[in-house]
Amino acid sequence: MYTFKLNSQFIKAMGIALLIGNTALAQKTGKVNPNQEKAPKLVVGIVVDQMRWDYLERFAPLFKSNGGFKRMMNQGFSNDNCQIGYTPSVTACGHTGIYTGTVPAVHGITGNAWYDALLKRTVYCSEDRTVEGVGAKGASDGKMSPRNMLTTSIADELRMATNFKSKVIGVAIKDRGAILPAGHSANGAYWFDAKSGNFITSTYYYKELPEWVAKFNNRQVPDSLSKLGWNKSLADQLYLQYATADEKIYEGKPFGANQTKLPYDLSRKENEGFSKVVGSPWGNTLTAEMAKAAVLAEELGKDAITDMLAVSFSSPDYVGHSFGPNSWEVVDNYIKLDEELGKFFEFLDATVGKGKYTAFLSADHAVAHVPGFMKENKLPGGTLDDKAAMDEMNKAIKNKFGIDKAVVSLYNYQVHYNRDLLDSVNADKKAINQFMVNYLMKKDYILNAFPTSEILTTPMPQYLREKVANGFLYNRSGDIQMILKSGYIDGSATGTTHGLWYSYDAHIPLLWYGFGIKQGRSGKRVYMHDIAATVASLLKIQEPSGNIGHPIEEALK
């Protein structure tokens, strides 16, 4: 015993001597900074609503050297093969997946909306009938909260890890883009009410709008932006290097029937609202200005405790839906978004400090080309009218089985039965399922169809099987899964959409920048649900409760 104590004391003494010596040497040579920060002061999550990965490469010559995209790509890390690991690839699922590190089968957000078998009605992803809107009179869009999300987010985990001393703020035009990323325990989430021109919140967060938000609304930024119009960034011949002609019959007309090409008049009539602003690149400016106001007012990144800002740029989705990936409008939107992001990073450099914050940029989903564009270029594609399709399905089931209105929804490319009705008439569900599969397989738009109860046994590639299974939650999903053919969308003769498993909808950008991030790029396949685990690894905190992702170690120092 005595010898052991002597040896322990001797070893301890030697260790202290070596530590003192090494510390003195390190300080003398400058190899160790005793004041080196162990975590970023602020994590900034940027989600671009509807961004294909290939935009980074296609439009790269148009991005400015001081813009946001080149800063992140040249000074940060790019995961060039980031995929969405589930279907449907839609906004609410994407925002939730990025911040929870998991998939709809676990976090519960199975679409922007879904038919809920327990409630027997359609449910919007962030609806909450127990709360009220705050910030605009009669703001029905304010009845929102994250309660439908079943797991924690990385923002929640940061709050818990710091004993709720970290601040978390969510900002977006769309309510779901602000609410779901910020998590259950956020200090605030703010979204735009296009009718009033105000950013609003709900009583889930505050009974009254915080003073700084009211002051921002009083600046009447949307009104000023609407007067500027949407003008071109480039000469016409440059647009033609990246897109088809400016006027196409298969493009939408969101700014009025007489406005068919750039530039666009965004002015509004009295009491018209501000939908034209949010449907243009100026919506990105509005979002960035609100995010800057949040950083200043909430003093994000001002102390040693890491804060988080979740920002979603919703306007690219509105532009993309109307005009499609090969339009002048989408090219122009990304030129202007690049500039906006560059200014935003300069603001963060000045307020938080360059190298003292970490930013990531990804997308909630990508997008398909407009079917009219596909047809014009002899590429596969077409449309499905879901309302007409549902009417036809109900008629077919009634003729065969005598059951009226058996199908209640085609949400998220799934056929949802009225399960209570089928139970009440003691219907042969197996026979109905087989009938529906046979019926669907004769349709031009269908690649495959099968009962969702047979996801694990239906012949299909494993990669596709996993995506379908990852998107399925019994009471929030349907009974028959439809897999549309490549290039087909649920839509009309103009514009486009997203939601499928194909690469054009599911291959998204993932850029990292700032504190703790290496410089480089990788073509290794990673997933959207790896983002939260990577942030958790960087911050050395617990990953979200339903996390299935893995840290992207090659991006971290």
Side-chain angles (χ1 to χ4, degrees):
M1 291 292 292
Y2 179 76
T3 303
F4 177 77
K5 288 182 179 178
L6 182 63
N7 288 342
S8 297
Q9 292 170 357
F10 176 78
I11 292 169
K12 185 177 180 180
M14 286 297 293
I16 291 171
L18 286 169
L19 179 62
I20 292 171
N22 288 339
T23 302
L25 178 63
Q27 289 175 340
K28 190 174 182 180
T29 59
K31 291 184 178 180
V32 169
N33 179 4
N35 297 317
Q36 186 174 8
E37 294 170 348
K38 296 181 179 180
K41 290 182 175 295
L42 178 65
V43 174
V44 182
I46 300 170
V47 178
V48 182
D49 196 330
Q50 194 188 120
M51 183 174 181
R52 294 165 57 116
W53 169 82
D54 62 341
Y55 290 168
L56 289 175
E57 296 298 329
R58 280 181 57 199
F59 305 149
L62 303 176
F63 296 147
K64 292 187 175 181
S65 58
N66 62 345
F69 291 124
K70 283 197 173 178
R71 182 196 279 226
M72 296 191 84
M73 293 190 74
N74 294 341
Q75 300 176 36
F77 195 92
S78 176
N79 289 112
D80 294 341
N81 189 13
C82 184
Q83 299 283 336
I84 295 174
Y86 57 84
T87 183
S89 49
V90 295
T91 297
C93 304
H95 283 82
T96 309
I98 286 171
Y99 284 86
T100 63
T102 193
V103 292
V106 179
H107 61 57
I109 304 299
T110 58
N112 291 333
W114 56 82
Y115 183 81
D116 193 295
L118 295 179
L119 297 177
K120 300 178 181 59
R121 64 174 178 85
T122 296
V123 172
Y124 177 66
C125 58
S126 50
E127 73 165 59
D128 186 345
R129 297 182 176 184
T130 71
V131 301
E132 298 295 331
V134 175
K137 291 182 179 179
S140 59
D141 289 343
K143 294 178 178 289
M144 305 290 173
S145 86
R147 285 196 172 108
N148 288 326
M149 187 168 70
L150 304 180
T151 66
T152 63
S153 75
I154 189 62
D156 291 317
E157 296 299 333
L158 176 61
R159 291 271 288 153
M160 287 189 283
T162 61
N163 198 24
F164 299 95
K165 294 177 181 177
S166 291
K167 282 190 175 181
V168 171
I169 302 292
V171 171
I173 296 291
K174 295 181 183 179
D175 54 77
R176 55 189 182 267
I179 292 169
L180 300 171
H184 298 274
S185 60
N187 298 88
Y190 306 99
W191 54 98
F192 188 67
D193 177 53
K195 294 178 183 177
S196 65
N198 287 345
F199 274 92
I200 64 173
T201 189
S202 78
T203 52
Y204 179 88
Y205 303 97
Y206 296 105
K207 292 182 179 180
E208 294 182 1
L209 208 61
E211 184 179 356
W212 70 267
V213 181
K215 286 182 177 179
F216 181 87
N217 288 335
N218 289 338
R219 289 168 53 187
Q220 298 184 322
V221 176
D223 189 58
S224 299
L225 295 174
S226 69
K227 296 173 183 177
L228 298 176
W230 181 356
N231 298 306
K232 299 175 188 175
S233 301
L234 305 172
D236 288 3
Q237 60 268 26
L238 278 177
Y239 285 105
L240 289 171
Q241 294 181 25
Y242 298 90
T244 51
D246 190 15
E247 287 184 277
K248 286 291 184 179
I249 59 171
Y250 49 72
E251 293 181 347
K253 298 180 178 64
F255 307 114
N258 296 325
Q259 296 205 65
T260 58
K261 63 178 182 178
L262 283 165
Y264 291 106
D265 179 6
L266 305 179
S267 60
R268 63 190 189 91
K269 299 175 183 177
E270 189 175 356
N271 299 322
E272 183 182 349
F274 296 89
S275 60
K276 291 178 183 177
V277 171
V278 301
S280 78
W282 289 123
N284 299 325
T285 303
L286 176 62
T287 303
E289 290 303 308
M290 179 63 177
K292 292 174 188 176
V295 170
L296 293 174
E298 298 286 355
E299 298 186 327
L300 301 181
K302 285 298 183 183
D303 56 28
I305 301 172
T306 302
D307 297 320
M308 183 174 289
L309 174 67
V311 185
S312 176
F313 289 94
S314 308
S315 293
D317 189 62
Y318 297 121
V319 175
H321 274 293
S322 294
F323 301 103
N326 255 62
S327 63
W328 289 30
E329 288 82 359
V330 163
V331 173
D332 197 78
N333 172 72
Y334 277 93
I335 292 171
K336 289 179 166 67
L337 177 59
D338 175 59
E339 295 178 5
E340 204 64 63
L341 289 171
K343 294 174 185 177
F344 186 54
F345 286 133
E346 289 174 359
F347 165 82
L348 293 174
D349 289 346
T351 54
V352 181
K354 190 170 185 178
K356 294 186 177 181
Y357 62 90
T358 303
F360 67 80
L361 182 148
S362 191
D364 52 350
H365 53 75
V367 69
H369 280 286
V370 179
F373 166 86
M374 300 293 280
K375 183 178 180 180
E376 180 180 69
N377 291 282
K378 300 180 180 178
L379 296 165
T383 59
L384 154 68
D385 181 340
D386 63 346
K387 185 180 185 304
M390 191 171 85
D391 289 342
E392 288 179 13
M393 290 177 195
N394 273 322
K395 190 177 296 183
I397 292 175
K398 184 176 182 180
N399 290 340
K400 177 69 175 178
F401 298 96
I403 303 172
D404 193 21
K405 296 182 180 179
V407 177
V408 292
S409 168
L410 293 188
Y411 270 120
N412 307 315
Y413 304 98
Q414 294 172 338
V415 179
H416 299 244
Y417 295 144
N418 184 334
R419 295 173 185 169
D420 288 347
L421 173 62
L422 297 187
D423 287 341
S424 69
V425 298
N426 198 26
D428 186 341
K429 294 179 185 177
K430 187 175 181 180
I432 294 175
N433 282 342
Q434 190 59 56
F435 173 79
M436 283 304 302
V437 168
N438 293 340
Y439 170 87
L440 287 167
M441 290 303 295
K442 297 174 185 176
K443 299 298 181 181
D444 290 341
Y445 52 82
I446 290 292
L447 177 71
N448 200 359
F450 48 88
T452 51
S453 59
E454 298 176 13
I455 291 172
L456 299 182
T457 56
T458 299
M460 65 181 123
Q462 182 63 22
Y463 184 61
L464 175 55
R465 185 193 313 282
E466 289 178 358
K467 287 197 173 191
V468 175
N470 285 342
F472 180 77
L473 186 62
Y474 182 73
N475 284 321
R476 297 183 179 184
S477 296
D479 301 278
I480 301 289
Q481 179 73 52
M482 299 185 295
I483 306 294
L484 271 58
K485 290 178 181 175
S486 175
Y488 280 77
I489 66 167
D490 173 10
S492 61
T494 60
T496 187
T497 191
H498 48 84
L500 300 182
W501 72 278
Y502 295 103
S503 59
Y504 53 75
D505 277 352
H507 187 184
I508 55 176
L510 177 53
L511 303 176
W512 302 88
Y513 170 78
F515 181 97
I517 303 302
K518 289 180 183 176
Q519 184 177 353
R521 65 192 304 173
S522 171
K524 175 184 174 183
R525 178 177 286 174
V526 297
Y527 289 95
M528 169 191 281
H529 53 256
D530 292 326
I531 296 173
T534 307
V535 174
S537 181
L538 173 71
L539 300 180
K540 296 179 176 58
I541 63 174
Q542 179 79 306
E543 67 271 15
S545 59
N547 178 72
I548 63 169
H550 303 280
I552 304 172
E553 295 179 355
E554 60 264 36
L556 300 176
K557 289 183 180 177

